[in-house]
């Protein structure tokens, strides 16, 4: 089955994207009120590449009754049977870069578990994570061939199309903030200032603009200006570690 590996920097919207996809494909209930289908299942990879915890996460997500102390092979059988029963069409594994928290042997074993599920169920598997996720998947030649990488880049002003998309994003934020005065966030000087402060990840942009909007309301300015961007309490990512020393 075709698989996908969604890769981007931290705080750049990966989980939000897949969570929205899951919400668009909710479980369907039969007339008796019992769960009959579960088209898309999304779990978070365990903190370490642990097969048992992986199965537990799937069983918990589908509200299945199971014994965490049961043998691995029993939970594996239960997972396979359950996913067939609920007619699962896709499995999404978020934070898949957690694989790298284990030894090479445990990493290899965990990747084999993912490969086995895909083979047995014949459903697409979507891995979501950072650059480390790409490195983890590409450590296995067979998985490398199965998982097509999709990169989620940072926002940028480089190039006409990228610049236009970024400024549209800022315009959308401005509409959502509902300040009484226009802030003109999409103007070149403001757009560049916001980009330089946040590094271009959508999570940082949202944090900066939210803090700025709150500060603008509290100070009765009702607009975001360069001065408010600097005084709203936002700390640029490169200075956060230095502030603790």
């Amino acid at each position: 089955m075709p698989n996908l590996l969604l890769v981007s920097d931290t705080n750049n919207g990966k989980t939000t994207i897949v969570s929205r996809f899951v919400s668009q494909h909710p479980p369907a209930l039969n007339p008796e009120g019992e769960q009959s289908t579960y088209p898309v299942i999304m779990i978070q990879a365990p903190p370490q590449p642990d097969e048992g915890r992986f199965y537990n996460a799937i069983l918990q997500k589908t509200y299945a009754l199971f014994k965490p102390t049961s043998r691995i092979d029993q939970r594996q059988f239960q997972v396979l049977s359950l996913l067939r029963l609920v007619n699962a069409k896709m499995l999404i594994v978020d934070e898949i870069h957690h694989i790298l928290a284990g030894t090479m042997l445990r990493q290899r074993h965990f990747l084999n578990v993912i490969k086995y599920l895909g083979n047995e169920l014949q459903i697409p598997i979507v891995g979501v994570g950072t650059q480390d996720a790409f490195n983890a998947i590409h450590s296995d030649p067979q998985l490398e061939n199965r998982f097509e990488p999709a990169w989620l880049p940072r926002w940028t002003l480089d190039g006409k199309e990228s610049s236009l998309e970024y400024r549209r994003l800022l315009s959308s934020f401005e509409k959502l903030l509902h300040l009484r005065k226009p802030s003109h966030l999409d103007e070149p000087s403001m757009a560049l200032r916001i980009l330089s402060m946040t590094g271009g990840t959508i999570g940082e942009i949202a944090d900066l603009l939210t803090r700025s909007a709150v500060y603008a309301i509290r100070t009765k300015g009702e607009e975001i200006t360069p001065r408010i961007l600097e005084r709203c309490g936002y700390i640029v990512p490169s200075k956060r570690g230095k502030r603790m020393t």
Side-chain angles (χ1 to χ4, degrees):
M1 297 298 295
N3 299 321
L4 183 70
L5 182 62
L6 181 60
V7 183
S8 82
D9 294 323
T10 300
N11 206 12
N12 202 29
K14 302 181 298 296
T15 300
T16 301
I17 289 174
V18 292
S19 295
R20 183 181 181 193
F21 179 80
V22 172
S23 69
Q24 293 172 336
H25 301 82
L29 304 179
N30 66 24
E32 286 73 32
E34 296 178 355
Q35 182 175 293
S36 56
T37 62
Y38 212 125
V40 181
I41 297 174
M42 176 179 169
I43 65 166
Q44 183 176 165
Q48 295 181 346
D50 184 287
E51 182 179 2
R53 290 185 181 182
F54 181 64
Y55 294 144
N56 291 350
I58 296 175
L59 294 170
Q60 288 173 343
K61 179 62 70 170
T62 53
Y63 303 101
L65 297 176
F66 68 100
K67 293 182 179 180
T69 56
S70 62
R71 297 199 315 266
I72 292 293
D73 62 318
Q74 292 175 328
R75 276 176 282 169
Q76 180 191 78
F77 177 80
Q78 186 178 2
V79 165
L80 291 172
S81 300
L82 177 68
L83 295 187
R84 292 187 179 110
L85 179 65
V86 301
N87 198 26
K89 300 296 185 183
M90 179 182 293
L91 175 64
I92 300 176
V93 184
D94 196 12
E95 308 288 356
I96 199 170
H97 48 267
H98 287 173
I99 292 175
L100 297 179
T103 64
M104 288 299 297
L105 182 61
R106 290 175 70 88
Q107 291 178 37
R108 182 70 61 183
H109 177 74
F110 192 80
L111 291 173
N112 284 337
V113 169
I114 294 177
K115 189 190 310 178
Y116 178 79
L117 282 182
N119 288 340
E120 285 294 308
L121 297 171
Q122 287 296 291
I123 63 174
I125 297 177
V126 177
V128 183
T130 63
Q131 173 71 42
D132 288 338
F134 179 82
N135 298 336
I137 294 298
H138 276 242
S139 68
D140 185 313
Q142 293 187 39
L143 283 175
E144 179 182 5
N145 293 331
R146 298 186 188 193
F147 280 85
E148 179 180 353
W151 299 91
L152 190 62
R154 294 179 179 232
W155 296 89
T156 178
L157 285 168
D158 296 336
K160 183 177 180 180
E161 184 175 349
S162 297
S163 177
L164 183 61
E165 290 177 351
Y166 170 57
R167 292 169 69 179
R168 283 175 179 168
L169 173 71
L170 296 181
S171 295
S172 299
F173 268 115
E174 183 164 351
K175 292 177 182 178
L176 291 172
L177 294 174
H178 292 298
L179 295 174
R180 293 179 183 176
K181 298 179 182 179
S183 301
H184 304 294
L185 299 178
D186 61 337
E187 288 188 351
S189 60
M190 282 291 284
L192 180 59
R193 183 181 291 266
I194 293 168
L195 188 66
S196 63
M197 292 179 69
T198 62
T201 63
I202 195 167
E204 294 293 336
I205 293 171
D207 185 23
L208 171 61
L209 295 181
T210 301
R211 289 172 180 266
S212 297
V214 171
Y215 187 82
I217 293 171
R218 287 178 176 172
T219 56
K220 304 186 184 306
E222 289 292 340
E223 66 176 316
I224 297 176
T225 63
R227 178 175 176 273
I228 283 181
L229 290 175
E230 297 295 336
R231 297 193 175 190
C232 69
Y234 175 81
I235 303 173
V236 299
S238 61
K239 293 184 179 180
R240 288 172 191 167
K242 297 178 182 178
R243 189 175 179 130
M244 298 297 294
T245 58

